């Protein structure tokens, strides 16, 4: 469900669970975390290129897993947490190619990417509040810094959908590219990044990222709040409503 492939110095991390719109399971988070962590120690990896399948970047965390965390005492040691920490700790430039749905972590992981290519039919949405949850992946810090409080509030708290034009204006989409050219364009840019002097690139990116320690602290605060929210009546009702909708009675 996560396909990892090397193309030269570009490590392609592809979410590939089309039947579930690329909803992310624990197994998938573990594979993505391992790929990011491995890149930090491997000078052969110059860039991570994160992509999905036609029409689905990802529908976000698998909601069945949210229900399981709620019943099993939280998610402090869950694979998703390892993935969130790996995003913050990633030392290698990240490029994303987004076609179609980018929901929840599908949007918030993009705030960790250095460049994001999106197709015209990309859709960015973080329905955390509607699910009784709070923003994650450092988005409560990164989104207001990137787009200002008011736009971040619309995205993260109101749960408004952002189309690619709005996402580009908000600063988290770099270029809008037709579906059939999207991955080739993202790959060409990834290769160009990977062709630069690697040490200078890593150091420069580190300087641009600023205070990653503060980001790491915020991610842990979000995880604590998220974990508390998971077993709240609001969240359980929202998860159950989705699961019932997804599995209608015969
Ligand atoms: N978790 C678990 N399963 C999911 C999922 C998710 N986040 N997103 C989609 N799926 C599943 C559906 O249950 C459905 O499975 P089924 O065919 O076995 O019933 C399948 O993927 C296709 O989804 P469907 O809802 O039929 O497609 P759609 O095009 O009508 O809607 C979405 C797509 C993504 C808008 C809708 O599925 C949705 O809202 N998903 C939840 C997104 C979400 O809230 N994510 C968490 C963010 S924090």
């Amino acid at each position: 469900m996560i396909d990892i492939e090397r193309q030269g110095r570009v490590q392609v991390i592809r979410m590939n669970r089309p039947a579930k719109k690329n909803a992310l399971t624990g197994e998938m988070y573990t594979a993505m975390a391992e790929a990011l962590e491995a890149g930090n120690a491997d000078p052969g990896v110059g860039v991570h290129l994160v992509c999905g399948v036609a029409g689905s970047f990802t529908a976000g965390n698998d909601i069945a897993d949210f229900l399981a965390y709620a019943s099993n005492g939280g998610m402090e040691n869950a694979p998703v947490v390892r993935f969130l920490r790996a995003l913050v700790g990633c030392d290698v430039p990240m490029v994303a190619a987004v076609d179609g749905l980018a929901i929840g972590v599908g949007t918030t992981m993009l705030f960790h990417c250095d460049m994001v290519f999106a197709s015209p039919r990309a859709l960015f949405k973080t329905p955390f509040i509607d699910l009784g949850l709070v923003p994650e992946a450092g988005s409560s810090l990164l989104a207001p810094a990137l787009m200002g409080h008011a736009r971040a509030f619309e995205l993260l708290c109101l749960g408004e959908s952002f189309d690619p034009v709005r996402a580009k204006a908000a600063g988290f989409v770099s270029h809008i590219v037709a579906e059939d050219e999207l991955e080739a364009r993202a790959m060409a840019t990834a290769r160009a990044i990977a062709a630069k002097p690697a040490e200078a690139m890593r150091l420069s990116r580190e300087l641009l990222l600023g205070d990653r320690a503060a980001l790491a602290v915020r991610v842990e605060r979000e995880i604590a709040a998220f974990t508390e929210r998971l077993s709240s009546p609001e969240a359980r009702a929202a998860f159950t409503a989705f699961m019932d909708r997804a599995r209608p009675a015969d």
Side-chain angles (χ1 to χ4, degrees):
M1 289 187 281
I2 298 292
D3 302 330
I4 309 285
E5 183 201 355
R6 284 283 180 91
Q7 291 193 28
R9 300 190 70 245
V10 179
Q11 175 162 263
V12 181
I13 303 173
R14 183 182 302 282
M15 297 171 281
N16 189 2
R17 192 191 179 202
K20 296 287 184 181
K21 309 271 176 188
N22 279 354
L24 295 168
T25 62
E27 189 188 331
M28 294 165 79
Y29 281 122
T30 297
M32 290 198 291
E34 282 174 353
L36 294 179
E37 290 162 5
N40 289 347
D42 184 348
V45 177
V47 177
H48 300 293
L49 173 59
V50 184
C51 48
V53 297
S56 297
F57 185 64
T58 168
N61 202 105
D62 191 298
I63 290 185
D65 283 4
F66 277 158
L67 265 174
Y69 298 146
S71 307
N72 300 332
M75 59 172 223
E76 272 102 344
N77 299 311
V80 58
V81 169
R82 179 174 172 191
F83 174 66
L84 299 180
R85 291 177 180 147
L87 280 177
V88 177
C90 183
D91 293 328
V92 175
M94 277 188 280
V95 174
V98 180
D99 181 28
L101 297 168
I103 302 186
V105 73
T107 289
T108 58
M109 77 167 84
L110 301 175
F111 301 144
H112 297 267
C113 292
D114 302 285
M115 293 187 70
V116 175
F117 293 82
S119 72
R121 65 182 178 183
L123 185 84
F124 307 91
K125 186 176 168 70
T126 60
F128 297 118
I129 311 291
D130 294 326
L131 292 170
L133 300 171
V134 295
E136 36 66 317
S139 59
S140 66
L141 187 68
L142 296 173
L146 183 67
M147 63 188 85
H149 176 87
R151 277 190 294 187
F153 189 89
E154 272 191 79
L155 179 72
L156 295 176
C157 296
L158 192 56
E160 280 269 289
S161 296
F162 278 35
D163 66 19
V165 172
R166 200 168 172 199
K168 188 163 183 270
F172 66 92
V173 162
S174 317
H175 299 283
I176 301 170
V177 182
E179 282 95 79
D180 55 352
E181 295 166 22
L182 178 72
E183 286 198 12
R185 177 82 186 281
M187 176 55 84
T189 300
R191 284 186 192 280
I193 296 168
K196 302 274 184 200
E199 268 314 301
M201 177 61 76
R202 286 192 187 205
L203 279 169
S204 302
R205 179 175 181 271
E206 181 70 31
L207 289 165
L208 263 69
L209 287 177
D211 190 355
R212 276 208 270 178
L215 179 60
V217 168
R218 178 62 63 95
V219 167
E220 298 306 322
R221 266 182 70 192
E222 291 170 348
I223 290 168
F226 201 100
T227 300
E228 180 260 313
R229 294 301 310 163
L230 273 173
S231 52
S232 67
E234 289 174 345
R236 282 176 185 269
F239 302 155
T240 305
F242 178 77
M243 297 310 290
D244 288 350
R245 164 190 171 276
R247 290 187 175 75
D250 290 333

